[in-house]
Amino acid sequence: MPCLYFTEEDVDQLLDMKSAVESMRSAFLRLAQDQIDNVPRVRARRQGIVLHSMSAADAGLGLVGWKQYTTTARGAIFHVALYDQESGQMRAMIAANRLGQLRTGAVTGLAAELLAGSQIQQAGLFGTGWQAESQLEAIVTTCQLRKVNVYSRDRERRQEFCQRMSERLQIDVVPVDQPRQAVEEMPLVVTITTSKTPVFAAEWLEESSLVCAAGSNWLQKSELDRDTIEKAELVVCDDVGACQQEAGDFAASLEHGEFHWQDAHEMATVVQEGAAWRAQHPGRAVFKSVGLALEDVALG
C-alpha cells in the first residue's frame, strides 16, 4: 500500500471543524474503552531549537502514529505520521499545522458542549493568535453562541481579529479593553495565549462558569491563578498523566496543597458519560488541555 502525503492545503480542504469535533469525541470514547495507548510529549533541546515528540497507538483505528514539531525563533513546523498497526507500514505523512489547530480547537469545543452546555450564548476569549481562531470556531460549532468578548494585549490585533472572526462566523465577536470584560457574567471563559502568568483574576468568574485553559503546555507557564484552581469544584484534564508533566496552571496550587491530582477527572470519563455527567458535578469548573498525540492520530 502506498504512503500518502498530505500538504497543509490538502488538510484544509479535507477537514472541517464539525468533523474534527466528532473525531475527538470518538477518540476519547476509545480512550475510555482502553483502546488507545497515549505517550505524552518529550522534548529535545539545542541552542535555538526544540524538537517536540509525542505518539499514540489506536487499536480502534488500527493505526499507530506520532507527531513531531520544531519550534524556533521563526515559529513552529508540525508533521504527523501514521502507520498500519498490522503491517507496520507507513500509511501517511501529514503536514500538520492546520491539523493541530483543528484538533486543539475541537477538544475545547467538545469540553464546552459537555461541561458548559450547548445552550450557552456568550463567552469570553483570551488570545487572538491562529490557535484562538479554531477555539472560537469550535465553540460556535458545539454551542449556540451569539456573542464573544475578546481580550488580548495588542489593541490593533484584537480589533482585526474580532472583525475577521465576526464576518467568518456570523456572530458578535467584540474586542474589549479590559481583561475583566471577558470574564464577568460569562458562562464560559477560554484562554489560548502564550502568557507565562495568569491572564485574569478568579474573583471575576461566575459561580457556575467553565474555564477552558488551552494555551500552556509548559510547567513554568500558567494562564490561571491559584484561586481559579483552588475554588474550582470540578477539574477535568484532557489526560491527567500528561497534565502532571506539562500543566503549569496547577503548579502553585499543588505547591500550597490547595489541589491534588487525585481530585482531577479524565476527559475520557466525561465523554463516555455524556452531558448528564456535568449535572452530577455542579459548580465552577476548569478544563485543562495540553494536547495529546491520540488527538493527532485520530484526526489524521
Side-chain angles (χ1 to χ4, degrees):
M1 183 177 294
C3 176
L4 303 174
Y5 179 73
F6 295 92
T7 66
E8 293 290 348
E9 291 75 17
D10 294 329
V11 172
D12 200 37
Q13 291 177 16
L14 291 167
L15 291 177
D16 59 29
M17 186 56 75
K18 183 177 180 180
S19 61
V21 170
E22 293 312 309
S23 177
M24 296 303 97
R25 193 190 310 273
S26 297
F28 279 104
L29 280 173
R30 292 193 299 277
L31 182 62
Q33 297 161 359
D34 200 28
Q35 296 185 51
I36 297 178
D37 181 23
N38 185 78
V39 180
R41 188 176 0 245
V42 294
R43 294 177 168 105
R45 302 170 177 85
R46 287 286 88 179
Q47 184 174 356
I49 190 167
V50 180
L51 174 65
H52 313 249
S53 305
M54 50 210 293
S55 60
D58 190 327
L61 296 179
L63 295 170
V64 302
W66 50 258
K67 177 164 82 172
Q68 295 204 348
Y69 60 103
T70 57
T71 51
T72 67
R74 297 183 179 182
I77 301 174
F78 299 81
H79 288 90
V80 166
L82 302 177
Y83 300 81
D84 182 78
Q85 179 179 329
E86 183 176 350
S87 68
Q89 294 295 314
M90 183 180 283
R91 294 281 301 277
M93 175 70 77
I94 306 167
N97 290 38
R98 175 60 173 157
L99 185 145
Q101 182 195 32
L102 279 167
R103 65 82 151 145
T104 303
V107 172
T108 296
L110 182 59
E113 174 193 321
L114 296 174
L115 297 172
S118 60
Q119 303 300 313
I120 63 169
Q121 296 185 1
Q122 61 180 359
L125 174 66
F126 287 82
T128 52
W130 69 288
Q131 287 283 10
E133 295 179 12
S134 63
Q135 296 285 310
L136 185 51
E137 182 183 0
I139 301 165
V140 170
T141 300
T142 60
C143 302
Q144 298 178 16
L145 284 191
R146 296 182 179 180
K147 179 182 178 182
V148 179
N149 285 357
V150 179
Y151 178 80
S152 68
R153 291 172 294 183
D154 188 316
R155 183 174 181 272
E156 184 175 337
R157 185 174 182 177
R158 184 169 71 231
Q159 291 178 325
E160 187 278 330
F161 174 89
C162 291
Q163 181 178 351
R164 174 164 41 85
M165 297 306 292
S166 292
E167 294 173 357
R168 182 192 301 181
L169 301 175
Q170 295 298 295
I171 65 169
D172 290 330
V173 185
V174 181
V176 295
D177 294 325
Q178 300 296 327
R180 191 168 191 149
Q181 296 171 283
V183 178
E184 288 185 329
E185 300 182 2
M186 295 298 175
L188 172 65
V189 177
V190 176
T191 62
I192 184 72
T193 74
T194 59
S195 178
K196 296 181 180 180
T197 57
V199 296
F200 67 85
E203 63 189 48
W204 304 338
L205 288 165
E206 295 297 301
E207 287 303 315
S208 60
S209 61
L210 168 67
V211 176
C212 290
S216 168
N217 55 25
W218 293 85
L219 285 176
Q220 64 269 36
K221 293 183 179 182
S222 177
E223 296 179 298
L224 308 182
D225 64 11
R226 277 174 53 192
D227 283 348
T228 296
I229 302 299
E230 180 187 1
K231 294 178 180 178
E233 296 180 60
L234 173 65
V235 172
V236 177
C237 295
D238 56 356
D239 180 83
V240 173
C243 284
Q244 286 177 309
Q245 295 187 35
E246 299 188 337
D249 304 87
F250 300 106
S253 297
L254 287 163
E255 181 181 350
H256 289 84
E258 299 161 348
F259 171 75
H260 306 280
W261 284 116
Q262 59 263 34
D263 297 327
H265 299 266
E266 299 279 3
M267 180 63 167
T269 301
V270 178
V271 174
Q272 186 176 47
E273 297 297 326
W277 187 88
R278 174 61 159 135
Q280 302 169 18
H281 300 81
R284 189 180 297 172
V286 170
F287 172 66
K288 176 59 188 174
S289 61
V290 294
L292 308 174
L294 71 90
E295 300 159 3
D296 298 291
V297 170
L299 194 53

